[in-house]
């Protein structure tokens, strides 16, 4: 007897796509929440006394903050190795469960050692999440809205920073250990929400087809298109994905060696390098110094503790508002133009900020604060989301989980570099550290111009054609046929079924 169960909570079409984005956003919210959390609690007396450190101990504080990033790096590598077997959704489920354990250990800490263990464990989980979530969302999204969907989850992550800062500001007026223990424990609630809904959402159809789970893939593709399984468009989508997988197989079996040295003609090593480098370009301008250490930075400039927390909260809101703008721009004006606009605006902000803090004075400090808001807003609409989008777009199906994982690994690697060396650099060379950030902000412009393709509006299969010459003409021909057959000038290459299925 056929089952009357409606898959995916009965959601179909855009409703299902947005459900995936929101649940993945809840998982990614943990990413932003930790940045805002540590940026605001590391200066509170109750936290410092509980683990017996001083605010002036830059070495220990930077270790506590940055050790999380090492855990994230390891989690990303685990995702790269296991993702091909377990799939996107199962890896995210494991990652969220590990994060809950890490949150409990951190919230119950009475020593630097226990806190560091908790942060490493939480990092394992978050590394798995960040290595899989953008790929999962991208593979479940339409070409014309894929950037918007990934940008939305990054916007939710940015809102996590806002929640953390303002929650900590509210707890600042209380007394006792609850001031920092509750905000640390609260992060588990986001993971639990995502865990509750994940079982009801679909796995990536591209992963399912790569694993020859055809019936499940049919069900997912039909639900995403809000059409019957036997619909011509659904079957064309399926056939084109299968054709792309067949092309990959024809180039040779999957091999981890291709990450370093690729002889298949798919340029796997070059595409991996691009996916990793874009995250380095995101991090080296030092934006995470603001989020992890904002209250410490403002206090160091002579601003009172409570005011510093407020300013940190305002900075987080500026970042989030910038990320909201990015949702509407990323597919409309394209990835590259968005990055150009962000880098140029960040350059202007940094060039104002550095001389202001070098001279001191009340007026200069407020100008510096305004420049900080400009820098983070510009990063929010551009560099926050686009590197993650590229990480999920640039690799073919069988290597996409590795591309996403190594993209996230690079993010956490250079986040570690920034949050570990930043406080030490400020202590030794002061405002001159920002000259380094200005240089890296500038270098991002020619790097994006010369090395990165524009992928806005292209299907994942079309993006594959950008790197493989013998596929490029095929992609164009299939697009023209699909447009003629379905009247959809921006349709995907899925009509290849009629030729090559």
């Amino acid at each position: 007897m056929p089952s009357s169960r409606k898959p995916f909570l009965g959601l179909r079409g855009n409703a299902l796509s947005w459900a995936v984005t929101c649940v993945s956003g809840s998982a990614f919210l943990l990413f932003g929440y930790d940045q805002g959390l540590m940026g605001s609690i590391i200066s509170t007396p109750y936290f410092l006394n509980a683990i017996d450190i001083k605010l002036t101990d830059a070495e220990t504080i930077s270790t506590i903050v940055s050790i999380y990033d090492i855990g994230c790096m390891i989690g990303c590598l685990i995702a790269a190795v296991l993702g091909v077997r377990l799939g996107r959704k199962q890896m995210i489920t494991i990652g969220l469960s590990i994060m809950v354990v890490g949150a409990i250990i951190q919230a119950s800490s009475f020593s630097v050692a226990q806190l560091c263990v908790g942060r490493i464990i939480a990092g394992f989980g978050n590394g798995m999440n960040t290595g899989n979530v953008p790929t999962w969302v991208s593979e479940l999204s339409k070409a014309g809205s894929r950037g918007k969907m990934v940008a939305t989850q990054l916007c939710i992550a940015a809102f996590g920073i806002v929640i953390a800062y303002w929650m900590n500001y509210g707890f600042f007026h209380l007394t006792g250990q609850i001031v920092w223990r509750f905000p640390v424990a609260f992060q588990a609630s986001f993971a639990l929400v995502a865990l509750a809904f994940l079982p009801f959402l679909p796995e990536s159809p591209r992963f399912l087809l790569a694993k020859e789970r055809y019936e499940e893939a049919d069900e997912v593709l039909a639900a995403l298109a809000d059409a019957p399984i036997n619909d011509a468009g659904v079957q064309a989508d399926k056939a084109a994905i299968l054709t792309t997988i067949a092309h990959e197989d024809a180039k040779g079996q999957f091999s981890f060696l291709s990450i370093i040295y690729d002889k298949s003609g798919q340029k796997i090593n070059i595409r991996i390098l691009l996916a990793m480098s874009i995250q380095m370009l995101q991090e080296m301008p030092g934006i995470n110094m603001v989020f992890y250490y904002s209250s410490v930075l403002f206090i160091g400039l002579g601003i009172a503790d409570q005011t510093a927390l407020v300013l940190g909260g305002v900075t987080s809101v500026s970042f989030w508002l910038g990320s909201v703008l990015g949702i509407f721009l990323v597919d409309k004006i394209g990835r590259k133009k968005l990055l150009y606009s962000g880098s140029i605006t960040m350059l202007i902000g940094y060039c104002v900020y550095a001389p202001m803090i070098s001279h001191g004075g009340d007026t200069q400090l407020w100008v510096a604060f305004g420049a900080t808001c400009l820098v983070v807003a510009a990063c929010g609409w551009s560099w926050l989301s686009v590197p993650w989008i590229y990480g999920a777009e640039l690799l073919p199906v069988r290597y996409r989980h590795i591309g996403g994982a190594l993209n996230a690994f690079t993010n956490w690697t250079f986040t570690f570099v920034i949050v570990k060396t930043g406080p030490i650099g400020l202590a030794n060379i002061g405002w001159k550290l920002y000259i380094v950030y200005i240089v890296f902000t500038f270098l991002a412009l020619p790097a994006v111009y010369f090395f990165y393709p524009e992928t806005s509006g292209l299907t994942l299969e079309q993006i594959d054609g950008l790197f493989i010459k013998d596929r490029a003409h095929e992609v164009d021909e299939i697009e023209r046929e699909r447009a003629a057959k379905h009247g959809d000038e921006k349709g995907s290459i899925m009509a290849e079924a009629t030729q090559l299925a």
Side-chain angles (χ1 to χ4, degrees):
M1 181 180 198
S3 172
S4 60
R5 175 186 67 87
K6 289 186 177 180
F8 319 131
L9 300 176
L11 299 173
R12 299 177 68 81
N14 288 336
L16 179 58
S17 295
W18 280 107
V20 169
T21 298
C22 290
V23 171
S24 66
S26 182
F28 240 54
L29 195 146
L30 291 158
F31 171 22
Y33 185 84
D34 181 81
Q35 291 175 313
L37 177 70
M38 295 311 296
S40 51
I41 71 169
I42 57 174
S43 62
T44 58
Y46 294 107
F47 171 77
L48 296 170
N49 291 337
I51 60 174
D52 194 24
I53 60 171
K54 293 184 171 34
L55 185 59
T56 54
D57 188 352
E59 179 69 28
T60 302
I61 288 177
S62 66
T63 298
I64 291 171
V65 173
S66 63
I67 201 77
Y68 178 78
D69 303 317
I70 292 179
C72 290
M73 291 157 59
I74 297 171
C76 290
L77 295 179
I78 293 171
V81 174
L82 298 182
V84 69
R85 285 190 294 167
L86 300 181
R88 321 320 186 202
K89 209 171 81 163
Q90 193 169 345
M91 287 300 300
I92 297 169
T93 301
I94 294 171
L96 289 169
S97 301
I98 292 173
M99 287 200 76
V100 172
V101 175
I104 293 170
I105 294 173
Q106 289 180 78
S108 60
S109 294
F110 280 96
S111 68
V112 171
Q114 183 181 347
L115 184 63
C116 286
V117 168
R119 286 184 62 72
I120 289 175
I121 291 174
F124 289 164
N126 201 31
M128 293 181 191
N129 291 343
T130 54
N132 282 279
V133 166
T135 300
W136 183 53
V137 173
S138 291
E139 293 187 332
L140 287 166
S141 301
K142 298 175 183 176
S145 61
R146 185 177 59 249
K148 180 192 297 185
M149 293 303 182
V150 177
T152 297
Q153 72 186 40
L154 270 299
C155 176
I156 295 172
F159 192 66
I161 301 175
V162 175
I163 293 172
Y165 269 110
W166 289 107
M167 176 182 289
N168 283 322
Y169 177 72
F171 276 82
F172 179 83
H173 299 88
L174 302 179
T175 58
Q177 293 296 302
I178 193 174
V179 168
W180 72 274
R181 293 191 189 277
F182 180 84
V184 170
F186 187 70
Q187 63 186 296
S189 63
F190 305 124
L192 292 172
V193 169
L195 283 169
F197 287 97
L198 261 177
F200 304 102
L201 295 175
E203 176 58 276
S204 159
R206 289 167 172 86
F207 171 79
L208 294 173
L209 289 172
K211 293 296 183 181
E212 301 181 358
R213 292 158 60 179
Y214 301 123
E215 290 185 6
E216 293 174 72
D218 281 342
E219 188 174 56
V220 175
L221 288 168
L224 291 170
D226 194 11
I229 289 176
N230 59 1
D231 177 78
V234 171
Q235 289 306 308
D237 287 351
K238 174 184 176 182
I241 296 171
L242 286 172
T243 301
T244 300
I245 293 171
H247 273 283
E248 289 182 40
D249 290 342
K251 296 286 185 179
Q253 292 296 315
F254 170 86
S255 171
F256 282 104
L257 183 61
S258 294
I259 298 171
I260 301 170
Y261 180 64
D262 178 49
K263 297 188 293 184
S264 70
Q266 298 179 86
K267 301 180 181 177
I268 300 299
N269 51 345
I270 294 173
R271 293 156 79 171
I272 288 281
L273 181 61
L274 289 173
M276 296 176 71
S277 297
I278 195 70
Q279 288 287 9
M280 179 192 71
L281 294 172
Q282 181 204 62
E283 290 302 321
M284 289 310 290
I287 197 69
N288 270 311
M289 273 292 291
V290 177
F291 300 122
Y292 278 105
Y293 298 113
S294 65
S295 59
V296 174
L297 290 173
F298 291 134
I299 290 169
L301 293 175
I303 297 171
D305 290 12
Q306 185 171 346
T307 305
L309 281 175
V310 173
L311 296 184
V314 174
T315 302
S316 70
V317 172
S318 300
F319 184 58
W320 174 66
L321 291 175
S323 72
V324 173
L325 179 61
I327 293 173
F328 299 99
L329 295 178
V330 68
D331 287 318
K332 187 172 184 180
I333 71 171
R335 316 321 188 211
K336 296 182 70 167
K337 289 181 180 178
L338 200 59
L339 292 179
Y340 298 151
S341 70
S343 290
I344 292 169
T345 307
M346 289 170 68
L347 268 175
I348 294 170
Y350 271 141
C351 287
V352 172
Y353 180 87
M356 289 298 104
I357 64 171
S358 70
H359 289 95
D362 290 343
T363 302
Q364 287 87 344
L365 292 181
W366 284 108
V367 173
F369 169 68
T372 300
C373 291
L374 178 65
V375 169
V376 298
C379 180
W381 79 59
S382 57
W383 284 94
L384 170 64
S385 60
V386 174
W388 296 96
I389 295 170
Y390 270 134
E393 289 180 334
L394 295 180
L395 275 295
V397 176
R398 294 198 187 279
Y399 290 89
R400 193 166 293 133
H401 71 286
I402 296 178
L406 292 182
N407 173 266
F409 171 82
T410 309
N411 176 275
W412 292 114
T413 299
F414 285 94
T415 297
F416 171 79
V417 170
I418 293 299
V419 301
K420 178 62 180 173
T421 63
I424 299 169
L426 280 177
N428 286 280
I429 62 174
W431 68 271
K432 296 182 183 69
L433 177 65
Y434 288 92
I435 297 175
V436 178
Y437 298 154
I438 289 171
V439 170
F440 278 107
T441 303
F442 173 78
L443 290 176
L445 289 167
V448 171
Y449 181 83
F450 286 110
F451 298 114
Y452 286 87
E454 181 54 66
T455 58
S456 178
L458 301 178
T459 66
L460 294 173
E461 288 69 35
Q462 283 177 299
I463 294 170
D464 197 40
L466 296 177
F467 294 92
I468 306 174
K469 289 183 179 180
D470 62 356
R471 284 281 285 158
H473 73 280
E474 207 173 87
V475 167
D476 291 338
E477 183 179 342
I478 294 161
E479 274 301 300
R480 286 193 295 270
E481 289 189 7
R482 181 175 175 83
K485 184 175 180 180
H486 297 285
D488 179 10
E489 293 183 357
K490 293 186 178 181
S492 70
I493 66 168
M494 308 313 186
E496 192 164 8
T498 58
Q499 286 185 301
L500 301 169

